[in-house]
């Protein structure tokens, strides 16, 4: 219903009885003056407006058919009375049943996935290694024969160029140091880490230059001095980072470890050339034997025996002789440790072709230097 303005002609008119009602005389209070003008009296007397009859009746508009995308039928808001507190019935309004919803079209699209109830804490993501442990599987995947073949090739290059001189040895050594720096960051899940890789590789180059400048007799001082400077440099760079404290600590550990492995590989330059010839060849043979499809205990034994045999064979070509077996076995132990580290926590193919290739030879460098000086 719509609200009609007050009109004296409709006062007392009952739309349902169609008969005029007799107006009641207005009550005057003592001291109140009468008013001649009926409109002026309306300004001071309280008038009650009843329900009026609309002079124009509009036919109800039938609701339109719902669109294909509609989910609910159209709803008509109820009409409210003059004071807006309760809906008033309209005699002319008829109740129209809602139109039935259209049937969905047959499509080949899959049904939406059903989601579970919402959680407050969420689901913490577990690593592949943790999932493997929960399922009773091993999180270790050893590098295959192809990375082992690359390791053997690089070891043979180190063994062959060591007898030609330090500058000839420098070429395969730089390749080993670069692959070591990149592989360690990828093994720790930090990729791309261009700044960390470049910093570690630069530290290895500085150690090479320092050793060539200071001489082979001052090799430990050149290597340890470069390593100490690079640890401080990595610490300063991480302190200037705007990352979270946990991420900065994780990056610092990865950067220091990568630089240390790349710089320690400079030990091939500091070691005796004949020791490099024996140790690098023995490490290469040990990694090839480790890649054979054998049980782990048998594979380890076969690798050590093969490395000792290679050490004896290469020792016959040098002054080490039979002592080459001990040197070859020591280099093989460190190479197998590096091989084991590169196989940890479900590494990717890129890890196998970087860390899996370089870590065995980089880990064997200190033993080659120490045993080479002890057995010479």
């Amino acid at each position: 219903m719509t609200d009609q303005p007050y009109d004296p002609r409709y006062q007392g008119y009952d739309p349902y009885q169609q008969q005029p009602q007799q107006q009641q005389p207005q009550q005057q209070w003592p001291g109140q003056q009468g008013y001649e003008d009926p409109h002026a009296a309306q300004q001071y007397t309280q008038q009650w407006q009843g329900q009026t009859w609309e002079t124009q009746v509009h036919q109800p508009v039938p609701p339109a058919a719902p669109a294909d995308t509609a989910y609910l039928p159209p709803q008509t808001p109820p009409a409210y009375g003059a004071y807006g507190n309760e809906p008033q019935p309209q005699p002319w309004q008829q109740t129209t049943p809602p139109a039935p919803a259209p049937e969905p079209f047959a499509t080949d699209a899959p049904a939406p996935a059903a989601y579970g109830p919402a959680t407050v804490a969420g689901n913490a993501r577990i690593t592949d290694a943790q999932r493997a442990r929960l399922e009773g599987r091993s999180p270790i995947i050893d590098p295959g024969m192809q990375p082992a073949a690359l390791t053997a090739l690089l070891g043979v290059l180190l063994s062959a160029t060591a007898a030609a001189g330090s500058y000839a040895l420098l070429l395969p050594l730089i390749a080993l140091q670069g692959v070591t720096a990149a592989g360690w960051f990828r093994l720790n899940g930090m990729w791309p880490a261009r700044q960390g890789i470049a910093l570690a590789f630069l530290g290895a180059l500085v150690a090479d230059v320092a050793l060539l400048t200071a001489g082979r007799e001052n090799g430990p001082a050149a290597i340890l001095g470069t390593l100490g400077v690079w640890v401080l440099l990595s610490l300063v760079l991480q302190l200037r980072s705007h990352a979270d404290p946990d991420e900065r600590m994780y990056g610092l550990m990865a950067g220091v470890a990568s630089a240390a492995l790349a710089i320690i590989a400079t030990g091939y330059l500091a070691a005796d050339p004949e020791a490099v010839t024996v140790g690098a060849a023995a490490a290469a043979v040990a990694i090839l034997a480790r890649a054979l499809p054998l049980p782990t205990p048998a594979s380890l034994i076969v690798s050590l025996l093969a490395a000792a045999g290679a050490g004896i064979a290469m020792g016959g070509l040098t002054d080490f002789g039979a002592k080459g077996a001990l040197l070859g076995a020591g280099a093989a132990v460190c190479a197998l440790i590096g091989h084991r580290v590169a196989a940890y926590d479900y590494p990717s193919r890129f890890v196998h072709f970087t860390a899996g290739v370089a870590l065995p030879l980089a880990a064997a460098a200190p033993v080659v230097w120490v045993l080479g000086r002890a057995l010479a």
Side-chain angles (χ1 to χ4, degrees):
M1 299 295 291
T2 57
D3 297 338
Q4 298 291 340
Y6 178 78
D7 194 344
R9 295 176 298 177
Y10 293 94
Q11 186 177 3
Y13 180 77
D14 188 357
Y16 294 95
Q17 298 180 2
Q18 301 295 331
Q19 293 181 2
Q21 298 179 355
Q22 185 177 1
Q23 298 181 0
Q24 299 294 333
Q26 298 179 358
Q27 181 180 2
Q28 276 188 336
W29 299 93
Q32 183 181 3
Q33 298 179 0
Y35 296 94
E36 299 296 336
D37 189 2
H39 295 283
Q42 295 174 6
Q43 300 178 2
Y44 299 94
T45 58
Q46 186 177 8
Q47 301 291 334
W48 295 92
Q49 181 180 356
Q51 187 179 16
T52 60
W53 186 265
E54 292 184 349
T55 57
Q56 295 181 358
V57 178
H58 300 278
Q59 296 294 332
V61 180
D68 294 340
T69 58
Y71 293 96
L72 294 176
Q75 299 179 358
T76 304
Y80 290 88
Y83 298 98
N85 53 358
E86 59 182 4
Q88 299 294 332
Q90 298 182 6
W92 52 267
Q93 185 177 1
Q94 299 179 359
T95 304
T96 304
E103 296 182 357
F105 294 98
T107 58
D108 297 334
Y115 295 94
T119 58
V120 178
N123 295 326
R125 181 183 181 274
I126 62 175
T127 62
D128 294 335
Q130 294 173 345
R131 184 180 295 106
R133 293 188 184 97
L134 293 176
E135 296 175 357
R137 297 183 289 108
S138 174
I140 305 301
I141 297 179
D142 293 328
M145 182 57 70
Q146 292 180 353
L150 294 177
T151 302
L153 177 61
L154 192 54
V156 169
L157 290 176
L158 290 173
S159 178
T161 56
S166 298
Y167 290 97
L169 179 62
L170 191 63
L171 295 179
L173 179 61
I174 291 177
L176 173 63
Q177 291 169 333
V179 176
T180 301
W184 183 260
F185 274 95
R186 189 63 185 93
L187 182 63
N188 286 267
M190 304 179 66
W191 187 265
R194 300 182 182 90
Q195 294 182 355
I197 294 173
L199 183 63
F201 183 61
L202 181 61
L205 295 180
V206 171
D208 295 342
V209 173
L211 193 144
L212 292 176
T213 303
R216 185 176 285 111
E217 61 278 4
N218 297 320
I223 294 175
L224 295 178
T226 305
L227 182 58
V229 171
W230 246 249
V231 169
L232 293 178
L233 183 59
S234 301
L235 180 60
V236 170
L237 291 179
Q238 291 298 327
L239 289 177
R240 292 174 57 87
S241 176
H242 299 286
D244 296 335
D246 294 340
E247 295 181 0
R248 285 187 292 178
M249 181 60 66
Y250 191 68
L252 176 63
M253 294 296 102
V256 170
S258 178
L261 290 172
I263 292 173
I264 285 176
T266 310
Y268 286 112
L269 282 178
D272 185 75
E274 293 182 351
V276 175
T277 301
V278 175
V285 172
I287 296 303
L288 279 177
R290 182 67 179 87
L292 296 177
L294 296 174
T296 301
S299 178
L300 293 176
I301 295 175
V302 170
S303 299
L304 292 177
L305 293 177
I312 294 175
M314 298 304 296
L317 301 177
T318 61
D319 295 337
F320 280 92
K323 296 179 181 178
L326 183 58
L327 178 59
V333 169
C334 293
L336 291 176
I337 293 175
H339 183 272
R340 168 63 175 76
V341 172
Y344 182 70
D345 198 6
Y346 282 108
S348 63
R349 183 178 178 86
F350 187 86
V351 172
H352 283 166
F353 279 91
T354 52
V357 171
L359 285 184
L361 295 175
V367 174
V368 170
W369 179 81
V370 172
L371 291 180
R373 290 179 62 90
L375 299 176

